[in-house]
Short mmCIF file of all heavy atoms in Angstrom, two decimals:
data_model
loop_
_atom_site.label_atom_id
_atom_site.label_comp_id
_atom_site.label_asym_id
_atom_site.label_seq_id
_atom_site.Cartn_x
_atom_site.Cartn_y
_atom_site.Cartn_z
N MET H 1 0.83 -1.19 0.00
CA MET H 1 0.00 0.00 0.00
C MET H 1 0.88 1.25 0.00
O MET H 1 0.64 2.16 -0.78
CB MET H 1 -0.92 -0.04 1.22
CG MET H 1 -1.79 1.17 1.39
SD MET H 1 -3.02 1.21 0.09
CE MET H 1 -3.92 2.65 0.52
N LYS H 2 1.88 1.29 0.87
CA LYS H 2 2.73 2.45 0.96
C LYS H 2 3.55 2.64 -0.31
O LYS H 2 3.77 3.75 -0.76
CB LYS H 2 3.66 2.31 2.17
CG LYS H 2 3.99 3.57 2.86
CD LYS H 2 4.76 3.31 4.13
CE LYS H 2 4.67 4.51 5.03
NZ LYS H 2 5.46 4.36 6.22
N LYS H 3 3.97 1.52 -0.91
CA LYS H 3 4.77 1.59 -2.13
C LYS H 3 3.95 2.14 -3.29
O LYS H 3 4.43 2.97 -4.05
CB LYS H 3 5.33 0.21 -2.46
CG LYS H 3 6.28 0.21 -3.62
CD LYS H 3 6.87 -1.17 -3.85
CE LYS H 3 7.84 -1.16 -5.01
NZ LYS H 3 8.40 -2.47 -5.27
N SER H 4 2.71 1.70 -3.42
CA SER H 4 1.87 2.19 -4.51
C SER H 4 1.54 3.67 -4.34
O SER H 4 1.46 4.42 -5.32
CB SER H 4 0.60 1.37 -4.62
OG SER H 4 -0.18 1.50 -3.46
N LEU H 5 1.38 4.11 -3.09
CA LEU H 5 1.13 5.53 -2.82
C LEU H 5 2.35 6.36 -3.20
O LEU H 5 2.22 7.42 -3.81
CB LEU H 5 0.78 5.73 -1.34
CG LEU H 5 0.44 7.15 -0.92
CD1 LEU H 5 -0.80 7.64 -1.66
CD2 LEU H 5 0.23 7.21 0.57
N THR H 6 3.54 5.87 -2.88
CA THR H 6 4.77 6.56 -3.23
C THR H 6 4.92 6.67 -4.74
O THR H 6 5.29 7.73 -5.27
CB THR H 6 5.99 5.83 -2.64
OG1 THR H 6 5.81 5.72 -1.23
CG2 THR H 6 7.27 6.56 -2.93
N ILE H 7 4.62 5.60 -5.44
CA ILE H 7 4.70 5.61 -6.91
C ILE H 7 3.67 6.59 -7.49
O ILE H 7 3.98 7.34 -8.42
CB ILE H 7 4.50 4.19 -7.47
CG1 ILE H 7 5.69 3.32 -7.09
CG2 ILE H 7 4.31 4.21 -8.98
CD1 ILE H 7 5.52 1.85 -7.41
N ALA H 8 2.49 6.62 -6.93
CA ALA H 8 1.45 7.54 -7.42
C ALA H 8 1.87 9.00 -7.20
O ALA H 8 1.68 9.84 -8.09
CB ALA H 8 0.13 7.26 -6.72
N ILE H 9 2.43 9.30 -6.05
CA ILE H 9 2.88 10.67 -5.77
C ILE H 9 4.01 11.05 -6.71
O ILE H 9 4.04 12.16 -7.25
CB ILE H 9 3.30 10.81 -4.29
CG1 ILE H 9 2.05 10.74 -3.40
CG2 ILE H 9 4.04 12.12 -4.06
CD1 ILE H 9 2.36 10.70 -1.93
N PHE H 10 4.96 10.14 -6.93
CA PHE H 10 6.06 10.40 -7.84
C PHE H 10 5.55 10.65 -9.26
O PHE H 10 5.99 11.58 -9.93
CB PHE H 10 7.05 9.23 -7.83
CG PHE H 10 8.20 9.42 -8.76
CD1 PHE H 10 9.23 10.30 -8.44
CD2 PHE H 10 8.25 8.75 -9.98
CE1 PHE H 10 10.29 10.49 -9.30
CE2 PHE H 10 9.30 8.94 -10.85
CZ PHE H 10 10.33 9.81 -10.51
N ALA H 11 4.60 9.86 -9.71
CA ALA H 11 4.04 10.03 -11.05
C ALA H 11 3.30 11.36 -11.17
O ALA H 11 3.40 12.05 -12.20
CB ALA H 11 3.10 8.87 -11.38
N LEU H 12 2.59 11.74 -10.14
CA LEU H 12 1.87 13.01 -10.14
C LEU H 12 2.84 14.18 -10.20
O LEU H 12 2.63 15.13 -10.96
CB LEU H 12 0.99 13.11 -8.90
CG LEU H 12 0.14 14.37 -8.77
CD1 LEU H 12 -0.91 14.39 -9.88
CD2 LEU H 12 -0.52 14.42 -7.42
N LEU H 13 3.92 14.11 -9.43
CA LEU H 13 4.91 15.18 -9.47
C LEU H 13 5.61 15.25 -10.82
O LEU H 13 5.87 16.34 -11.34
CB LEU H 13 5.94 14.98 -8.36
CG LEU H 13 5.45 15.27 -6.94
CD1 LEU H 13 6.52 14.90 -5.93
CD2 LEU H 13 5.06 16.72 -6.80
N ALA H 14 5.91 14.11 -11.40
CA ALA H 14 6.55 14.09 -12.72
C ALA H 14 5.62 14.70 -13.78
O ALA H 14 6.06 15.48 -14.63
CB ALA H 14 6.92 12.66 -13.10
N ALA H 15 4.35 14.37 -13.71
CA ALA H 15 3.38 14.94 -14.65
C ALA H 15 3.25 16.45 -14.45
O ALA H 15 3.16 17.20 -15.43
CB ALA H 15 2.02 14.26 -14.48
N ALA H 16 3.26 16.89 -13.20
CA ALA H 16 3.16 18.33 -12.92
C ALA H 16 4.36 19.09 -13.47
O ALA H 16 4.21 20.16 -14.07
CB ALA H 16 3.03 18.55 -11.42
N VAL H 17 5.57 18.53 -13.29
CA VAL H 17 6.77 19.18 -13.82
C VAL H 17 6.71 19.23 -15.34
O VAL H 17 7.06 20.25 -15.96
CB VAL H 17 8.04 18.45 -13.32
CG1 VAL H 17 9.27 18.93 -14.05
CG2 VAL H 17 8.20 18.64 -11.82
N LEU H 18 6.27 18.17 -15.97
CA LEU H 18 6.14 18.14 -17.42
C LEU H 18 5.14 19.18 -17.90
O LEU H 18 5.40 19.93 -18.85
CB LEU H 18 5.72 16.74 -17.88
CG LEU H 18 5.50 16.57 -19.38
CD1 LEU H 18 6.82 16.75 -20.12
CD2 LEU H 18 4.90 15.22 -19.68
N LEU H 19 4.00 19.26 -17.24
CA LEU H 19 2.98 20.23 -17.64
C LEU H 19 3.44 21.67 -17.40
O LEU H 19 3.12 22.56 -18.19
CB LEU H 19 1.67 19.96 -16.92
CG LEU H 19 0.94 18.70 -17.36
CD1 LEU H 19 -0.28 18.44 -16.48
CD2 LEU H 19 0.53 18.79 -18.82
N MET H 20 4.20 21.89 -16.33
CA MET H 20 4.73 23.24 -16.09
C MET H 20 5.70 23.62 -17.20
O MET H 20 5.73 24.77 -17.65
CB MET H 20 5.41 23.31 -14.72
CG MET H 20 4.47 23.17 -13.55
SD MET H 20 3.31 24.53 -13.42
CE MET H 20 4.33 25.72 -12.62
N GLY H 21 6.52 22.68 -17.65
CA GLY H 21 7.44 22.95 -18.75
C GLY H 21 6.71 23.27 -20.03
O GLY H 21 7.08 24.20 -20.77
N ILE H 22 5.68 22.50 -20.32
CA ILE H 22 4.87 22.75 -21.52
C ILE H 22 4.20 24.12 -21.43
O ILE H 22 4.17 24.88 -22.41
CB ILE H 22 3.84 21.63 -21.72
CG1 ILE H 22 4.54 20.31 -22.06
CG2 ILE H 22 2.82 22.00 -22.79
CD1 ILE H 22 3.64 19.10 -22.03
N MET H 23 3.68 24.45 -20.24
CA MET H 23 3.04 25.75 -20.05
C MET H 23 4.03 26.88 -20.28
O MET H 23 3.74 27.85 -20.96
CB MET H 23 2.46 25.85 -18.63
CG MET H 23 1.82 27.20 -18.34
SD MET H 23 1.63 27.56 -16.59
CE MET H 23 3.33 27.84 -16.11
N GLU H 24 5.24 26.75 -19.70
CA GLU H 24 6.25 27.79 -19.89
C GLU H 24 6.63 27.95 -21.35
O GLU H 24 6.75 29.07 -21.85
CB GLU H 24 7.50 27.46 -19.08
CG GLU H 24 7.44 27.94 -17.67
CD GLU H 24 8.80 27.90 -16.99
OE1 GLU H 24 9.81 28.21 -17.64
OE2 GLU H 24 8.82 27.57 -15.80
N LYS H 25 6.84 26.85 -22.03
CA LYS H 25 7.24 26.89 -23.44
C LYS H 25 6.15 27.56 -24.27
O LYS H 25 6.43 28.43 -25.10
CB LYS H 25 7.49 25.46 -23.94
CG LYS H 25 7.90 25.35 -25.35
CD LYS H 25 9.34 25.67 -25.53
CE LYS H 25 9.76 25.31 -26.95
NZ LYS H 25 11.00 25.89 -27.30
N THR H 26 4.90 27.19 -24.04
CA THR H 26 3.79 27.75 -24.80
C THR H 26 3.61 29.24 -24.51
O THR H 26 3.48 30.05 -25.43
CB THR H 26 2.48 27.00 -24.46
OG1 THR H 26 2.68 25.61 -24.70
CG2 THR H 26 1.33 27.50 -25.29
N LEU H 27 3.62 29.59 -23.23
CA LEU H 27 3.40 30.99 -22.87
C LEU H 27 4.56 31.88 -23.31
O LEU H 27 4.35 33.04 -23.66
CB LEU H 27 3.16 31.13 -21.37
CG LEU H 27 1.81 30.63 -20.88
CD1 LEU H 27 1.73 30.71 -19.37
CD2 LEU H 27 0.67 31.40 -21.51
N SER H 28 5.77 31.35 -23.25
CA SER H 28 6.90 32.18 -23.67
C SER H 28 6.87 32.45 -25.17
O SER H 28 7.29 33.50 -25.64
CB SER H 28 8.23 31.54 -23.28
OG SER H 28 8.43 30.33 -23.98
N SER H 29 6.34 31.51 -25.94
CA SER H 29 6.23 31.74 -27.39
C SER H 29 5.05 32.65 -27.73
O SER H 29 5.08 33.37 -28.71
CB SER H 29 6.12 30.42 -28.14
OG SER H 29 4.91 29.77 -27.82
N ILE H 30 4.01 32.62 -26.91
CA ILE H 30 2.82 33.44 -27.18
C ILE H 30 2.99 34.87 -26.64
O ILE H 30 2.82 35.83 -27.37
CB ILE H 30 1.56 32.81 -26.55
CG1 ILE H 30 1.23 31.50 -27.24
CG2 ILE H 30 0.37 33.75 -26.64
CD1 ILE H 30 0.11 30.73 -26.58
N GLY H 31 3.31 34.98 -25.35
CA GLY H 31 3.31 36.30 -24.73
C GLY H 31 4.63 36.70 -24.12
O GLY H 31 4.74 37.77 -23.53
N GLY H 32 5.62 35.87 -24.18
CA GLY H 32 6.91 36.21 -23.63
C GLY H 32 6.95 36.08 -22.12
O GLY H 32 6.11 35.43 -21.49
N THR H 33 7.94 36.71 -21.52
CA THR H 33 8.17 36.62 -20.08
C THR H 33 6.99 37.12 -19.25
O THR H 33 6.67 36.51 -18.23
CB THR H 33 9.45 37.38 -19.71
OG1 THR H 33 10.53 36.85 -20.48
CG2 THR H 33 9.77 37.24 -18.24
N PRO H 34 6.32 38.22 -19.62
CA PRO H 34 5.18 38.67 -18.81
C PRO H 34 4.06 37.62 -18.70
O PRO H 34 3.43 37.50 -17.65
CB PRO H 34 4.68 39.92 -19.53
CG PRO H 34 5.86 40.43 -20.27
CD PRO H 34 6.63 39.21 -20.67
N ALA H 35 3.83 36.87 -19.75
CA ALA H 35 2.79 35.84 -19.71
C ALA H 35 3.18 34.72 -18.76
O ALA H 35 2.34 34.22 -18.01
CB ALA H 35 2.54 35.28 -21.10
N VAL H 36 4.46 34.34 -18.77
CA VAL H 36 4.93 33.29 -17.86
C VAL H 36 4.83 33.78 -16.42
O VAL H 36 4.37 33.06 -15.53
CB VAL H 36 6.37 32.87 -18.21
CG1 VAL H 36 6.92 31.89 -17.18
CG2 VAL H 36 6.44 32.27 -19.60
N ALA H 37 5.25 35.02 -16.18
CA ALA H 37 5.18 35.59 -14.83
C ALA H 37 3.73 35.67 -14.36
O ALA H 37 3.43 35.34 -13.19
CB ALA H 37 5.82 36.97 -14.81
N ALA H 38 2.83 36.07 -15.24
CA ALA H 38 1.41 36.16 -14.87
C ALA H 38 0.85 34.78 -14.53
O ALA H 38 0.06 34.63 -13.59
CB ALA H 38 0.61 36.79 -16.01
N ALA H 39 1.26 33.76 -15.27
CA ALA H 39 0.79 32.40 -15.00
C ALA H 39 1.26 31.93 -13.63
O ALA H 39 0.50 31.33 -12.87
CB ALA H 39 1.26 31.45 -16.09
N TYR H 40 2.54 32.20 -13.30
CA TYR H 40 3.05 31.80 -12.00
C TYR H 40 2.39 32.58 -10.86
O TYR H 40 2.14 32.03 -9.79
CB TYR H 40 4.57 31.93 -11.94
CG TYR H 40 5.27 30.75 -12.56
CD1 TYR H 40 6.07 30.89 -13.67
CD2 TYR H 40 5.12 29.48 -12.03
CE1 TYR H 40 6.72 29.81 -14.25
CE2 TYR H 40 5.75 28.39 -12.59
CZ TYR H 40 6.55 28.56 -13.70
OH TYR H 40 7.17 27.48 -14.25
N VAL H 41 2.09 33.85 -11.09
CA VAL H 41 1.38 34.63 -10.08
C VAL H 41 -0.02 34.05 -9.86
O VAL H 41 -0.47 33.90 -8.71
CB VAL H 41 1.30 36.12 -10.48
CG1 VAL H 41 0.32 36.88 -9.62
CG2 VAL H 41 2.68 36.75 -10.40
N LEU H 42 -0.70 33.70 -10.93
CA LEU H 42 -2.03 33.11 -10.82
C LEU H 42 -1.97 31.77 -10.07
O LEU H 42 -2.81 31.52 -9.19
CB LEU H 42 -2.63 32.91 -12.21
CG LEU H 42 -4.03 32.31 -12.26
CD1 LEU H 42 -5.03 33.27 -11.61
CD2 LEU H 42 -4.43 32.04 -13.70
N ILE H 43 -1.00 30.94 -10.39
CA ILE H 43 -0.84 29.66 -9.69
C ILE H 43 -0.57 29.91 -8.22
O ILE H 43 -1.12 29.23 -7.34
CB ILE H 43 0.27 28.82 -10.35
CG1 ILE H 43 -0.18 28.34 -11.73
CG2 ILE H 43 0.65 27.64 -9.47
CD1 ILE H 43 0.92 27.74 -12.56
N GLY H 44 0.27 30.89 -7.91
CA GLY H 44 0.57 31.23 -6.52
C GLY H 44 -0.66 31.68 -5.76
O GLY H 44 -0.88 31.27 -4.62
N ILE H 45 -1.47 32.52 -6.38
CA ILE H 45 -2.70 32.99 -5.73
C ILE H 45 -3.65 31.83 -5.47
O ILE H 45 -4.24 31.73 -4.38
CB ILE H 45 -3.37 34.08 -6.59
CG1 ILE H 45 -2.53 35.36 -6.57
CG2 ILE H 45 -4.79 34.38 -6.11
CD1 ILE H 45 -2.97 36.42 -7.56
N ILE H 46 -3.79 30.94 -6.43
CA ILE H 46 -4.65 29.77 -6.24
C ILE H 46 -4.15 28.91 -5.09
O ILE H 46 -4.94 28.45 -4.25
CB ILE H 46 -4.74 28.96 -7.55
CG1 ILE H 46 -5.52 29.74 -8.60
CG2 ILE H 46 -5.38 27.60 -7.32
CD1 ILE H 46 -5.46 29.16 -9.99
N LEU H 47 -2.83 28.69 -5.02
CA LEU H 47 -2.28 27.88 -3.92
C LEU H 47 -2.49 28.55 -2.57
O LEU H 47 -2.77 27.87 -1.58
CB LEU H 47 -0.80 27.61 -4.17
CG LEU H 47 -0.49 26.64 -5.31
CD1 LEU H 47 1.01 26.57 -5.54
CD2 LEU H 47 -1.05 25.27 -5.01
N ILE H 48 -2.36 29.87 -2.50
CA ILE H 48 -2.59 30.58 -1.24
C ILE H 48 -4.04 30.45 -0.81
O ILE H 48 -4.33 30.19 0.37
CB ILE H 48 -2.18 32.06 -1.38
CG1 ILE H 48 -0.66 32.17 -1.47
CG2 ILE H 48 -2.70 32.89 -0.22
CD1 ILE H 48 -0.16 33.55 -1.85
N VAL H 49 -4.97 30.59 -1.75
CA VAL H 49 -6.40 30.45 -1.42
C VAL H 49 -6.70 29.04 -0.92
O VAL H 49 -7.42 28.86 0.07
CB VAL H 49 -7.26 30.81 -2.65
CG1 VAL H 49 -8.71 30.40 -2.45
CG2 VAL H 49 -7.17 32.30 -2.94
N LEU H 50 -6.14 28.03 -1.59
CA LEU H 50 -6.36 26.65 -1.16
C LEU H 50 -5.76 26.40 0.22
O LEU H 50 -6.35 25.69 1.04
CB LEU H 50 -5.77 25.68 -2.18
CG LEU H 50 -6.52 25.59 -3.51
CD1 LEU H 50 -5.74 24.71 -4.49
CD2 LEU H 50 -7.92 25.05 -3.30
N TYR H 51 -4.59 26.99 0.50
CA TYR H 51 -3.96 26.83 1.81
C TYR H 51 -4.81 27.45 2.91
O TYR H 51 -5.04 26.84 3.96
CB TYR H 51 -2.57 27.46 1.80
CG TYR H 51 -1.91 27.47 3.15
CD1 TYR H 51 -1.39 26.31 3.69
CD2 TYR H 51 -1.81 28.64 3.89
CE1 TYR H 51 -0.80 26.30 4.94
CE2 TYR H 51 -1.22 28.65 5.14
CZ TYR H 51 -0.71 27.48 5.65
OH TYR H 51 -0.14 27.48 6.90
N ILE H 52 -5.32 28.65 2.65
CA ILE H 52 -6.16 29.32 3.66
C ILE H 52 -7.44 28.53 3.89
O ILE H 52 -7.88 28.36 5.04
CB ILE H 52 -6.46 30.77 3.21
CG1 ILE H 52 -5.18 31.60 3.27
CG2 ILE H 52 -7.55 31.39 4.07
CD1 ILE H 52 -5.30 32.97 2.64
N LYS H 53 -8.03 28.02 2.82
CA LYS H 53 -9.26 27.22 2.97
C LYS H 53 -8.99 25.93 3.75
O LYS H 53 -9.77 25.56 4.63
CB LYS H 53 -9.82 26.87 1.58
CG LYS H 53 -11.15 26.14 1.63
CD LYS H 53 -11.66 25.88 0.24
CE LYS H 53 -12.98 25.16 0.21
NZ LYS H 53 -13.19 24.12 1.12
N ALA H 54 -7.87 25.27 3.47
CA ALA H 54 -7.54 24.05 4.19
C ALA H 54 -7.27 24.34 5.66
O ALA H 54 -7.67 23.57 6.53
CB ALA H 54 -6.33 23.38 3.55
N ARG H 55 -6.59 25.45 5.94
CA ARG H 55 -6.33 25.82 7.33
C ARG H 55 -7.64 26.10 8.09
O ARG H 55 -7.81 25.69 9.23
CB ARG H 55 -5.45 27.07 7.35
CG ARG H 55 -4.29 26.97 8.29
CD ARG H 55 -3.38 28.12 8.10
NE ARG H 55 -3.50 28.97 9.27
CZ ARG H 55 -2.98 30.15 9.39
NH1 ARG H 55 -2.31 30.68 8.40
NH2 ARG H 55 -3.12 30.83 10.49
N LYS H 56 -8.55 26.80 7.42
CA LYS H 56 -9.84 27.11 8.03
C LYS H 56 -10.63 25.83 8.30
O LYS H 56 -11.20 25.65 9.38
CB LYS H 56 -10.63 28.03 7.10
CG LYS H 56 -11.96 28.45 7.63
CD LYS H 56 -12.67 29.34 6.63
CE LYS H 56 -14.10 29.57 7.03
NZ LYS H 56 -14.86 30.27 5.99
N ASP H 57 -10.67 24.94 7.32
CA ASP H 57 -11.38 23.66 7.50
C ASP H 57 -10.76 22.83 8.61
O ASP H 57 -11.46 22.19 9.38
CB ASP H 57 -11.39 22.87 6.20
CG ASP H 57 -12.26 23.51 5.13
OD1 ASP H 57 -13.07 24.41 5.47
OD2 ASP H 57 -12.12 23.13 3.95
N SER H 58 -9.44 22.85 8.70
CA SER H 58 -8.74 22.10 9.74
C SER H 58 -9.08 22.66 11.13
O SER H 58 -9.30 21.90 12.07
CB SER H 58 -7.24 22.15 9.51
OG SER H 58 -6.55 21.54 10.56
N ALA H 59 -9.12 23.97 11.24
CA ALA H 59 -9.45 24.59 12.52
C ALA H 59 -10.89 24.27 12.93
O ALA H 59 -11.16 24.00 14.10
CB ALA H 59 -9.26 26.10 12.44
N GLU H 60 -11.80 24.27 11.96
CA GLU H 60 -13.19 23.92 12.26
C GLU H 60 -13.30 22.47 12.70
O GLU H 60 -14.03 22.15 13.65
CB GLU H 60 -14.07 24.17 11.04
CG GLU H 60 -14.33 25.61 10.74
CD GLU H 60 -15.14 25.82 9.48
OE1 GLU H 60 -15.58 24.82 8.87
OE2 GLU H 60 -15.33 26.99 9.10
N GLU H 61 -12.59 21.58 12.02
CA GLU H 61 -12.61 20.16 12.38
C GLU H 61 -12.03 19.95 13.77
O GLU H 61 -12.56 19.17 14.57
CB GLU H 61 -11.81 19.35 11.34
CG GLU H 61 -11.89 17.87 11.54
CD GLU H 61 -13.26 17.30 11.20
OE1 GLU H 61 -13.96 17.88 10.37
OE2 GLU H 61 -13.62 16.26 11.79
N LYS H 62 -10.97 20.67 14.09
CA LYS H 62 -10.35 20.55 15.40
C LYS H 62 -11.30 21.03 16.50
O LYS H 62 -11.43 20.39 17.54
CB LYS H 62 -9.05 21.35 15.44
CG LYS H 62 -8.27 21.18 16.71
CD LYS H 62 -6.95 21.93 16.63
CE LYS H 62 -6.17 21.76 17.91
NZ LYS H 62 -4.90 22.51 17.88
N SER H 63 -11.99 22.14 16.25
CA SER H 63 -12.92 22.65 17.26
C SER H 63 -14.12 21.71 17.43
O SER H 63 -14.62 21.53 18.53
CB SER H 63 -13.39 24.06 16.91
OG SER H 63 -14.18 24.05 15.75
N LYS H 64 -14.55 21.08 16.33
CA LYS H 64 -15.64 20.10 16.43
C LYS H 64 -15.21 18.91 17.28
O LYS H 64 -15.96 18.42 18.12
CB LYS H 64 -16.06 19.61 15.05
CG LYS H 64 -16.92 20.55 14.28
CD LYS H 64 -17.30 19.95 12.94
CE LYS H 64 -18.09 20.90 12.09
NZ LYS H 64 -18.42 20.32 10.78
N ASN H 65 -13.98 18.44 17.06
CA ASN H 65 -13.47 17.31 17.84
C ASN H 65 -13.32 17.65 19.31
O ASN H 65 -13.61 16.84 20.17
CB ASN H 65 -12.14 16.81 17.27
CG ASN H 65 -12.31 16.09 15.95
OD1 ASN H 65 -13.39 15.64 15.62
ND2 ASN H 65 -11.23 16.00 15.20
N GLU H 66 -12.86 18.87 19.59
CA GLU H 66 -12.72 19.29 20.98
C GLU H 66 -14.08 19.41 21.65
O GLU H 66 -14.26 19.02 22.81
CB GLU H 66 -11.97 20.61 21.06
CG GLU H 66 -10.50 20.47 20.78
CD GLU H 66 -9.76 21.79 20.78
OE1 GLU H 66 -10.42 22.84 21.01
OE2 GLU H 66 -8.55 21.78 20.56
N ASN H 67 -15.06 19.96 20.94
CA ASN H 67 -16.42 20.07 21.49
C ASN H 67 -17.02 18.70 21.73
O ASN H 67 -17.70 18.48 22.72
CB ASN H 67 -17.31 20.88 20.55
CG ASN H 67 -16.98 22.35 20.56
OD1 ASN H 67 -16.35 22.85 21.48
ND2 ASN H 67 -17.39 23.05 19.53
N LYS H 68 -16.75 17.76 20.83
CA LYS H 68 -17.27 16.41 20.97
C LYS H 68 -16.63 15.73 22.19
O LYS H 68 -17.31 15.07 22.97
CB LYS H 68 -16.99 15.59 19.72
CG LYS H 68 -17.64 14.24 19.72
CD LYS H 68 -17.40 13.52 18.41
CE LYS H 68 -18.07 12.16 18.43
NZ LYS H 68 -17.86 11.43 17.19
N LYS H 69 -15.34 15.94 22.40
CA LYS H 69 -14.66 15.35 23.57
C LYS H 69 -15.20 15.95 24.85
O LYS H 69 -15.36 15.24 25.85
CB LYS H 69 -13.14 15.61 23.49
CG LYS H 69 -12.44 14.75 22.48
CD LYS H 69 -10.97 15.06 22.47
CE LYS H 69 -10.25 14.26 21.39
NZ LYS H 69 -8.81 14.59 21.35
N ASN H 70 -15.50 17.25 24.85
CA ASN H 70 -16.01 17.89 26.05
C ASN H 70 -17.42 17.41 26.39
O ASN H 70 -17.78 17.34 27.56
CB ASN H 70 -16.02 19.41 25.88
CG ASN H 70 -14.62 19.99 25.88
OD1 ASN H 70 -13.67 19.36 26.37
ND2 ASN H 70 -14.48 21.17 25.30
N THR H 71 -18.22 17.08 25.42
CA THR H 71 -19.59 16.64 25.68
C THR H 71 -19.65 15.15 25.99
O THR H 71 -20.62 14.68 26.58
CB THR H 71 -20.51 16.94 24.50
OG1 THR H 71 -20.00 16.29 23.33
CG2 THR H 71 -20.62 18.43 24.26
N ASP H 72 -18.60 14.38 25.61
CA ASP H 72 -18.59 12.94 25.84
C ASP H 72 -18.05 12.55 27.22
O ASP H 72 -17.98 11.39 27.55
CB ASP H 72 -17.76 12.22 24.77
CG ASP H 72 -18.47 12.19 23.43
OD1 ASP H 72 -19.69 12.46 23.41
OD2 ASP H 72 -17.81 11.91 22.43
N VAL H 73 -17.68 13.53 28.02
CA VAL H 73 -17.11 13.24 29.35
C VAL H 73 -18.18 12.62 30.22
O VAL H 73 -19.29 13.10 30.32
CB VAL H 73 -16.55 14.52 29.99
CG1 VAL H 73 -16.07 14.25 31.39
CG2 VAL H 73 -15.44 15.08 29.13
N ARG H 74 -17.84 11.51 30.90
CA ARG H 74 -18.84 10.83 31.74
C ARG H 74 -18.51 10.99 33.19
O ARG H 74 -17.51 10.95 33.70
CB ARG H 74 -18.88 9.35 31.39
CG ARG H 74 -19.42 9.15 30.02
CD ARG H 74 -19.47 7.70 29.70
NE ARG H 74 -19.94 7.54 28.33
CZ ARG H 74 -20.13 6.41 27.76
NH1 ARG H 74 -19.89 5.29 28.40
NH2 ARG H 74 -20.55 6.34 26.55
#
């Protein structure tokens, strides 16, 4: 199980690197350096939004678990 998960993560990272290279090559031929920079800024903003959402969801889950533990005391 652990080995297949490791292989899946490695394959996903390899595909992501390949797609990033294709994106850079395409954008540099279409719009030059500003287009590549804009794409990376957009990707960065999306990652920041996802990080904040995950942090918020994690905090809510943690507070739910703490509330559940407090109410389950016998």
Side-chain angles (χ1 to χ4, degrees):
M1 177 69 178
K2 214 173 199 184
K3 186 176 180 181
S4 63
L5 182 62
T6 304
I7 292 172
I9 290 172
F10 179 75
L12 182 66
L13 287 174
V17 169
L18 178 66
L19 289 174
M20 292 295 279
I22 293 170
M23 178 199 71
E24 274 194 38
K25 180 79 171 165
T26 305
L27 287 176
S28 66
S29 66
I30 293 173
T33 304
V36 174
Y40 278 117
V41 167
L42 181 65
I43 291 169
I45 290 170
I46 291 169
L47 289 174
I48 289 170
V49 168
L50 289 174
Y51 174 74
I52 291 170
K53 185 178 180 319
R55 227 171 109 189
K56 181 181 170 188
D57 291 346
S58 175
E60 287 177 4
E61 186 70 28
K62 186 176 180 181
S63 68
K64 282 181 184 178
N65 288 340
E66 286 177 0
N67 287 341
K68 187 176 180 180
K69 285 181 184 178
N70 290 339
T71 58
D72 287 345
V73 175
R74 292 181 183 182

